[in-house]
Amino acid sequence: MRETYGNPSSLHSMGLRAEQAMEHARTAILSALGEIDSATLLFTSGATESNNTAILGTAARYGKRRHKIVTTTVEHASVRAACDALEARGFQIVRVAPSEQFTAEFAAQIDAETCLASMMLVNNETGHILPVAETFAAVKRAFPDVITHCDAVQGFLKLPFRANDLHADLISISGHKLHAAKGIGALWHRKGVRIGSLLYGGEQEHGLRPGTEAVPLICGFGAAVAELHPTLAARRAHCADLRAYAIEHLTSIAGVQIQSPPDGSPFLLSCSVQGLRSETLLHFLAAHKIFVSSGSACSKGKQSGVLQQFGIPRDRADSTIRISFCAENTIAEVDALCDQILQAQTTLIHK
Ligand code: PLP
């Protein structure tokens, strides 16, 4: 904002410096995804736009001849709603539920009519890790022309993966899950994969996302990624310890049930507290400076139905909070959380 204020499309030296700063960030992110040469990165306003671009852009490009999309029942709202919009326009959307046979069931739905397969890497409400690599490998083996898209927002720099290993053509990521600013994200796309553009205008981002780039946000995103990339293993281990400690202490509280799988993401823990509605507990905790969310923050307390898809009954879903861990959290903070849940039970539950 202060030193490199130029417009990256401008031809003068100030513009050039802004362009170089932006390309530096792009390279840092591509390198954290394990790909510099075989892929490109499109900067967006966040993963909501990345997911919409991937889905609507693929439909725009290939949807005339092939109008089937295979996805899952547990996607983030930005994938679900984009698919719903296409369904209203006549696309066939097949939504596969999580199960033991998920990969085979998902792959079996793909056929010559399918233009897109879209699934997330880590579920944002429970931390379940989905078998993206093996599922997309099966999809590509049978139908190499199907575009594969992965919403990797909750996995990028939290789970070690290289973009190529996922067998995805398109990958969505978001800055604010990595301590970068809100309002910046990216869509990784394999070179040669063509999708339609949602916006019309200039030639920025190869015409796929015209409009002057958000240089400060992009540079911040690049800096966050460059800083977090080398610390992935250490952050993961720290959060795994915090999560294990939280599970041990939360389960010793009567009425608390853990809903995340033991082998889920170390950065996320979903639990329910019997007799307390999510929002009531959330506000009680916030008053003690403990900030958790109810289900998915994006739905502002409204239930998405995703918890039920993972077998969590409605009444427990109503009492669910989602705890997120990062490298800066401490065991003392987990202790404080457990203490305040106990406090909430004594104060708010009328026996
Ligand atoms: N996908 C997942 C899995 C998410 O958790 C989120 C946000 O929380 C998004 C997409 C949307 O990202 P953004 O807030 O950058 O639009």
Side-chain angles (χ1 to χ4, degrees), residues 45-51 75-79 120-125 151-154 172-177 182-185 296-298 322:
S45 63
T48 295
E49 184 186 331
S50 304
N51 285 340
E75 296 298 314
H76 182 262
S78 53
V79 167
M120 66 188 351
L121 184 56
V122 177
N123 184 267
N124 52 306
E125 294 193 41
D151 173 349
V153 167
Q154 300 281 347
S172 302
I173 55 175
S174 177
H176 69 99
K177 302 294 173 207
K182 288 150 195 71
I184 183 72
S296 157
C298 320
R322 187 183 56 159

Coordinates of all heavy atoms in Angstrom, one line a residue, residues 45-51 75-79 120-125 151-154 172-177 182-185 296-298 322, ligand 1:
S45 N -11.3 -13.3 -5.1 CA -11.6 -12.6 -3.8 C -11.8 -13.6 -2.6 O -12.2 -13.1 -1.6 CB -12.9 -11.9 -4.0 OG -14.0 -12.8 -4.3
G46 N -11.5 -14.8 -2.9 CA -11.6 -15.8 -1.8 C -12.1 -17.1 -2.4 O -12.3 -17.2 -3.6
A47 N -12.2 -18.1 -1.5 CA -12.5 -19.5 -2.1 C -13.9 -19.6 -2.5 O -14.2 -20.4 -3.4 CB -12.2 -20.5 -1.0
T48 N -14.8 -18.7 -2.1 CA -16.2 -18.7 -2.6 C -16.1 -18.4 -4.1 O -16.8 -19.1 -4.9 CB -17.1 -17.7 -1.8 OG1 -17.2 -18.1 -0.5 CG2 -18.4 -17.6 -2.4
E49 N -15.4 -17.4 -4.4 CA -15.2 -17.1 -5.9 C -14.5 -18.2 -6.6 O -14.8 -18.5 -7.7 CB -14.5 -15.7 -6.1 CG -14.5 -15.3 -7.5 CD -13.7 -14.1 -7.8 OE1 -13.6 -13.2 -6.9 OE2 -13.1 -14.0 -8.9
S50 N -13.4 -18.7 -6.0 CA -12.7 -19.8 -6.6 C -13.6 -21.0 -6.9 O -13.6 -21.5 -8.0 CB -11.5 -20.3 -5.7 OG -10.7 -19.2 -5.4
N51 N -14.4 -21.4 -5.9 CA -15.3 -22.5 -6.2 C -16.3 -22.2 -7.2 O -16.6 -23.0 -8.1 CB -16.0 -22.9 -4.8 CG -15.1 -23.6 -3.9 OD1 -14.1 -24.2 -4.3 ND2 -15.4 -23.6 -2.6
E75 N -20.3 -30.7 0.9 CA -19.4 -29.6 0.4 C -19.8 -28.3 1.1 O -20.9 -28.1 1.7 CB -19.7 -29.4 -1.1 CG -19.2 -30.5 -1.9 CD -17.7 -30.8 -1.8 OE1 -16.9 -29.9 -1.9 OE2 -17.4 -32.0 -1.7
H76 N -18.9 -27.3 1.1 CA -19.1 -26.0 1.6 C -20.3 -25.3 0.8 O -20.5 -25.7 -0.4 CB -17.8 -25.2 1.4 CG -17.9 -23.8 1.9 ND1 -18.2 -22.7 1.1 CD2 -17.8 -23.3 3.2 CE1 -18.2 -21.6 1.9 NE2 -18.0 -22.0 3.1
A77 N -20.9 -24.4 1.4 CA -22.1 -23.7 0.8 C -21.7 -23.2 -0.6 O -22.6 -23.2 -1.5 CB -22.6 -22.6 1.7
S78 N -20.5 -22.7 -0.8 CA -20.2 -22.1 -2.1 C -20.1 -23.1 -3.2 O -20.3 -22.8 -4.4 CB -18.8 -21.4 -2.0 OG -17.8 -22.2 -1.5
V79 N -19.9 -24.4 -2.9 CA -19.9 -25.4 -3.9 C -21.4 -25.9 -4.1 O -21.9 -26.0 -5.2 CB -19.0 -26.6 -3.5 CG1 -19.3 -27.9 -4.4 CG2 -17.6 -26.2 -3.6
M120 N -14.3 -31.8 -1.8 CA -13.4 -31.1 -0.9 C -12.4 -32.0 -0.3 O -12.6 -33.2 -0.3 CB -14.2 -30.4 0.2 CG -14.9 -31.4 1.2 SD -16.1 -30.7 2.4 CE -16.0 -29.0 2.4
L121 N -11.3 -31.4 0.2 CA -10.2 -32.2 0.8 C -10.5 -32.5 2.3 O -10.4 -33.6 2.8 CB -8.9 -31.5 0.6 CG -7.6 -32.2 1.0 CD1 -7.5 -33.6 0.4 CD2 -6.4 -31.4 0.7
V122 N -10.8 -31.4 3.0 CA -11.1 -31.5 4.4 C -12.4 -30.8 4.7 O -12.6 -29.7 4.3 CB -10.0 -30.8 5.3 CG1 -10.3 -30.9 6.8 CG2 -8.6 -31.5 5.0
N123 N -13.3 -31.5 5.4 CA -14.6 -30.9 5.7 C -14.5 -29.8 6.7 O -13.9 -30.0 7.8 CB -15.7 -31.9 6.1 CG -17.0 -31.3 6.3 OD1 -17.4 -30.9 7.4 ND2 -17.7 -31.2 5.2
N124 N -15.1 -28.6 6.5 CA -14.9 -27.5 7.3 C -15.8 -27.6 8.6 O -15.5 -26.8 9.5 CB -15.3 -26.2 6.6 CG -16.6 -26.3 5.9 OD1 -16.9 -27.2 5.1 ND2 -17.5 -25.3 6.2
E125 N -16.7 -28.5 8.7 CA -17.6 -28.6 9.9 C -17.1 -29.6 10.8 O -17.3 -29.6 12.0 CB -19.0 -28.8 9.5 CG -19.6 -27.6 8.7 CD -21.1 -27.6 8.6 OE1 -21.8 -28.0 9.6 OE2 -21.6 -27.3 7.5
D151 N -12.0 -28.4 -3.5 CA -12.0 -27.3 -2.6 C -11.0 -27.7 -1.4 O -11.3 -28.5 -0.6 CB -13.4 -27.1 -2.0 CG -13.5 -26.1 -0.9 OD1 -12.4 -25.7 -0.4 OD2 -14.6 -25.7 -0.5
A152 N -9.8 -27.2 -1.5 CA -8.7 -27.6 -0.5 C -8.5 -26.5 0.5 O -7.5 -26.5 1.2 CB -7.4 -27.8 -1.3
V153 N -9.5 -25.7 0.7 CA -9.4 -24.5 1.7 C -8.9 -25.0 3.1 O -8.0 -24.4 3.7 CB -10.8 -23.8 1.8 CG1 -10.8 -22.9 3.0 CG2 -11.0 -23.0 0.5
Q154 N -9.5 -26.1 3.6 CA -9.1 -26.5 5.0 C -7.9 -27.4 5.0 O -7.6 -27.9 6.0 CB -10.4 -27.2 5.6 CG -11.6 -26.3 5.7 CD -11.5 -25.3 6.9 OE1 -10.6 -25.4 7.7 NE2 -12.4 -24.3 6.9
S172 N -9.1 -24.9 -5.1 CA -9.5 -23.7 -4.5 C -8.8 -23.5 -3.2 O -8.8 -24.5 -2.4 CB -11.0 -23.6 -4.2 OG -11.7 -23.8 -5.4
I173 N -8.2 -22.3 -2.9 CA -7.6 -22.1 -1.6 C -8.0 -20.7 -1.2 O -8.5 -19.8 -2.0 CB -6.1 -22.2 -1.6 CG1 -5.5 -21.3 -2.7 CG2 -5.7 -23.6 -1.8 CD1 -3.9 -21.3 -2.7
S174 N -7.9 -20.4 0.1 CA -8.3 -19.1 0.7 C -7.3 -18.5 1.6 O -6.7 -19.3 2.4 CB -9.6 -19.3 1.4 OG -10.0 -18.1 2.0
G175 N -7.1 -17.2 1.6 CA -6.1 -16.6 2.4 C -6.3 -16.6 3.9 O -5.5 -16.8 4.7
H176 N -7.6 -16.4 4.3 CA -7.9 -16.1 5.7 C -7.8 -17.4 6.5 O -7.9 -17.3 7.7 CB -9.2 -15.3 5.9 CG -10.4 -16.0 5.6 ND1 -11.2 -16.6 6.5 CD2 -11.1 -16.2 4.4 CE1 -12.3 -17.1 5.9 NE2 -12.2 -16.9 4.6
K177 N -7.7 -18.6 5.9 CA -7.4 -19.8 6.7 C -6.0 -19.9 7.1 O -5.6 -20.8 7.7 CB -7.9 -21.0 5.9 CG -9.3 -21.0 5.5 CD -10.2 -21.1 6.7 CE -11.7 -20.9 6.2 NZ -12.5 -20.3 7.2
K182 N -8.7 -11.3 4.9 CA -9.9 -11.8 4.3 C -10.2 -11.2 3.0 O -9.8 -10.0 2.8 CB -11.1 -11.5 5.3 CG -11.0 -12.3 6.5 CD -11.6 -11.6 7.7 CE -11.2 -12.4 9.0 NZ -9.7 -12.2 9.3
G183 N -10.8 -11.9 2.1 CA -11.1 -11.3 0.8 C -10.0 -11.6 -0.3 O -10.0 -10.9 -1.3
I184 N -9.2 -12.6 0.0 CA -8.2 -13.0 -1.0 C -8.2 -14.5 -1.1 O -8.2 -15.2 -0.1 CB -6.8 -12.4 -0.8 CG1 -5.8 -12.8 -1.9 CG2 -6.2 -12.8 0.6 CD1 -6.1 -12.1 -3.2
G185 N -8.2 -15.1 -2.3 CA -8.1 -16.5 -2.5 C -7.5 -16.8 -3.8 O -7.0 -15.9 -4.5
S296 N -20.8 -24.1 10.6 CA -20.0 -23.4 9.7 C -20.2 -21.9 9.9 O -21.3 -21.5 9.9 CB -20.4 -23.9 8.3 OG -20.0 -22.9 7.4
A297 N -19.1 -21.2 10.0 CA -19.2 -19.7 10.3 C -19.9 -19.0 9.1 O -20.6 -18.0 9.3 CB -17.8 -19.1 10.4
C298 N -19.7 -19.6 7.9 CA -20.3 -19.0 6.7 C -21.8 -19.0 6.7 O -22.4 -18.2 6.0 CB -19.8 -19.7 5.5 SG -18.1 -20.2 5.6
R322 N -17.8 -25.6 16.9 CA -16.6 -26.0 16.1 C -15.4 -25.2 16.6 O -15.5 -24.0 16.7 CB -16.8 -25.7 14.6 CG -15.7 -26.2 13.7 CD -16.0 -25.8 12.3 NE -16.1 -24.4 12.2 CZ -15.9 -23.7 11.1 NH1 -15.6 -24.4 10.0 NH2 -16.0 -22.4 11.0
Ligands
PLP1 N1 -14.6 -23.8 1.3 C1 -14.4 -24.2 2.6 C2 -14.1 -25.6 2.9 C3 -14.4 -23.2 3.6 O1 -14.2 -23.6 4.9 C4 -14.6 -21.9 3.2 C5 -14.6 -20.8 4.3 O2 -14.7 -21.0 5.4 C6 -14.8 -21.5 1.9 C7 -14.8 -22.5 1.0 C8 -15.1 -20.1 1.5 O3 -13.9 -19.4 1.5 P1 -13.9 -17.8 1.5 O4 -14.4 -17.4 2.9 O5 -12.5 -17.4 1.2 O6 -14.9 -17.3 0.5

